[in-house]
Amino acid sequence: MAFISRLCIFVLVAHFATSIVCIRSPINQTPALFVFGDSIFDPGNNNYINTIASFQANYLPYGESFFKDPTGRTSNGRLIPDFIGKFIRAFLKNANLPLIPPYFEIGKKQFTHGVNFASAGSGCLAETARGFVIDLQTQLKNFQNVTQLLKNKVGETESKQILSNAVYIFSTGTNDFIPLITNSTFQNPDREYLQMIMGNLTAVLKGVYEEGGRKFVMLNLGPFGCLPSIRNLNLQKGVTNGSCMEDATNLAKMFNSALPEMLKQLEKQLPGFKYTIFNFFKVLVDSIDNPTNYGFKISETACCGTGPFRGIFSCGGKRQVKEYELCKNVKDYLFFDSSHPSEQAYQKYTELLWNGTPDVVAPYNLKSFFKLST
């Protein structure tokens, strides 16, 4: 659906009377994309906050495969939101559509096509990495600020159209569980902890809905017990083969079981609310177990880092551990650093998100979501 504005011109008619004719003309042919979450999506927002290198990727070799310079993305290149933009451009034949900008760059970039609010290290809980990241509630406040800027820029009618037709995509929750896993006295959290996480996420989704959002895309949690960093941790704990940490992956399963139930409840409560879930867990497990199906040779060891599985989070040499190794051919690797997939993996996952089958993305794939008008 095209978003439209009115171009009013004065027309001279008989007896020199002046009439006003309004021609409705497109101002934004492309549904906007608003992005929330953590390092899977952060395009460099953490470059602009007072934090530490552990929550940043604004140094080489991050970004070098595509951008040539670091942007703040925890990858060798583009992330899922960047590839979504590429698919949108091809689908709608809009070659001029720019990358979705980080929130802190909207003062100098076009933002009517969407904004990325994600912050590496953040979670659903404000307590997660408090003081070093932009938590999900603050990301919502930043979005509310953008909705006001949008009204000021294009008017209330047009801004409502943009917001109701936009797609809102989330990747969050992993970092709420990671501190439990890395704690030496790891214990499964009680039910109340999960309810707090889901409650905070629900509140943010409702907040976006109140601003006009209707179409929500959620990534469920990946099998973080199989990340190179957690395999390395498992090795340190005496698991001699460095296999996946099942207790950690079970936390992801717990979240993933609760997510669709929460979204179904919102669908019942909120008129016009639509959602879809991308099964990030399934595709990442399959990538690890069958890497050649995705074009990879190595799926357990990271390209960049040090130690077993290159699982020590030292890529770039700016964090606590300075030593790091870098693989010769990143295209062979599923993981770029000890916790994050490579650009090549993100591209393949976006293809599945965009046009995948219901076992991977349901009840809608992203392409059909962009066809829907509210």
Side-chain angles (χ1 to χ4, degrees):
M1 177 179 177
F3 302 119
I4 51 180
S5 64
R6 289 183 177 177
L7 174 63
C8 295
I9 57 176
F10 291 92
V11 180
L12 193 65
V13 294
H15 306 293
F16 301 100
T18 301
S19 176
I20 299 176
V21 177
C22 293
I23 303 172
R24 294 172 73 79
S25 60
I27 64 164
N28 183 352
Q29 295 287 342
T30 307
L33 178 68
F34 293 99
V35 183
F36 302 80
D38 49 30
S39 57
I40 297 294
F41 285 172
D42 184 358
N45 281 311
N46 280 12
N47 296 349
Y48 296 90
I49 64 174
N50 184 21
T51 187
I52 57 177
S54 294
F55 298 100
Q56 292 177 312
N58 55 352
Y59 40 83
L60 291 173
Y62 290 105
E64 67 178 8
S65 295
F66 181 78
F67 298 101
K68 308 307 178 187
D69 292 307
T71 62
R73 292 167 171 83
T74 50
S75 168
N76 56 305
R78 290 161 290 182
L79 306 177
I80 287 173
D82 302 316
F83 285 111
I84 291 174
K86 181 180 178 181
F87 280 102
I88 295 170
R89 285 192 290 273
F91 177 55
L92 299 174
K93 297 181 174 61
N94 186 348
N96 296 320
L97 184 67
L99 290 175
I100 303 300
Y103 171 70
F104 291 104
E105 294 181 8
I106 61 173
K108 55 186 178 181
K109 293 185 178 179
Q110 170 65 259
F111 65 89
T112 57
H113 292 296
V115 178
N116 190 324
F117 305 94
S119 171
S122 70
C124 298
L125 302 177
E127 293 79 11
T128 297
R130 185 192 290 273
F132 296 101
V133 301
I134 309 162
D135 66 85
L136 201 59
Q137 285 284 352
T138 303
Q139 291 180 38
L140 172 62
K141 292 176 183 177
N142 292 340
F143 168 67
Q144 290 165 338
N145 180 45
V146 166
T147 64
Q148 187 58 54
L149 293 173
L150 199 57
K151 290 175 186 176
N152 295 342
K153 184 177 179 65
V154 302
E156 187 153 351
T157 300
E158 308 300 347
S159 66
K160 282 183 178 179
Q161 288 182 317
I162 290 172
L163 294 169
S164 65
N165 282 280
V167 173
Y168 301 82
I169 187 166
F170 288 74
S171 168
T172 186
T174 296
N175 294 307
D176 297 306
F177 293 104
I178 293 296
L180 305 180
I181 299 164
T182 55
N183 192 312
S184 59
T185 59
F186 171 72
Q187 292 181 337
N188 284 314
D190 56 26
R191 185 72 185 172
E192 185 179 349
Y193 189 74
L194 178 63
Q195 289 173 340
M196 287 171 54
I197 292 170
M198 300 309 296
N200 280 25
L201 179 55
T202 300
V204 170
L205 296 180
K206 285 183 175 180
V208 173
Y209 178 90
E210 288 170 4
E211 293 294 322
R214 293 297 182 267
K215 294 182 286 186
F216 296 82
V217 181
M218 309 296 300
L219 271 63
N220 69 9
L221 302 190
F224 41 74
C226 296
L227 299 176
S229 57
I230 307 302
R231 287 183 189 271
N232 176 63
L233 182 62
N234 225 13
L235 202 61
Q236 293 174 16
K237 290 185 174 184
V239 180
T240 55
N241 62 354
S243 58
C244 298
M245 185 184 291
E246 290 186 15
D247 285 344
T249 297
N250 286 339
L251 296 178
K253 291 179 179 178
M254 182 174 68
F255 177 94
N256 293 348
S257 294
L259 181 62
E261 295 304 316
M262 180 268 282
L263 292 170
K264 287 175 186 175
Q265 287 299 315
L266 288 180
E267 186 179 42
K268 292 177 182 177
Q269 296 170 12
L270 306 176
F273 181 95
K274 298 182 179 72
Y275 74 90
T276 196
I277 300 174
F278 178 61
N279 198 337
F280 189 53
F281 187 98
K282 177 183 173 69
V283 298
L284 193 51
V285 166
D286 193 36
S287 304
I288 293 167
D289 293 344
N290 305 289
T292 56
N293 291 349
Y294 294 79
F296 303 113
K297 295 179 180 178
I298 300 165
S299 62
E300 296 182 357
T301 297
C303 170
C304 186
T306 193
F309 305 103
R310 295 200 182 108
I312 296 174
F313 196 40
S314 64
C315 186
K318 301 289 186 180
R319 302 183 178 107
Q320 188 173 1
V321 177
K322 306 303 179 187
E323 299 80 18
Y324 75 97
E325 304 164 4
L326 185 64
C327 67
K328 291 183 179 179
N329 187 3
V330 66
K331 291 184 178 180
D332 290 340
Y333 286 77
L334 169 62
F335 290 100
F336 179 64
D337 70 11
S338 62
S339 298
H340 303 98
S342 65
E343 179 188 59
Q344 290 74 21
Y346 285 133
Q347 181 171 8
K348 293 189 178 296
Y349 297 159
T350 310
E351 290 170 3
L352 292 171
L353 171 60
W354 180 258
N355 206 22
T357 52
D359 61 314
V360 173
V361 55
Y364 307 95
N365 60 36
L366 194 56
K367 182 178 179 180
S368 64
F369 237 26
F370 272 91
K371 288 180 180 178
L372 288 172
S373 60
T374 57

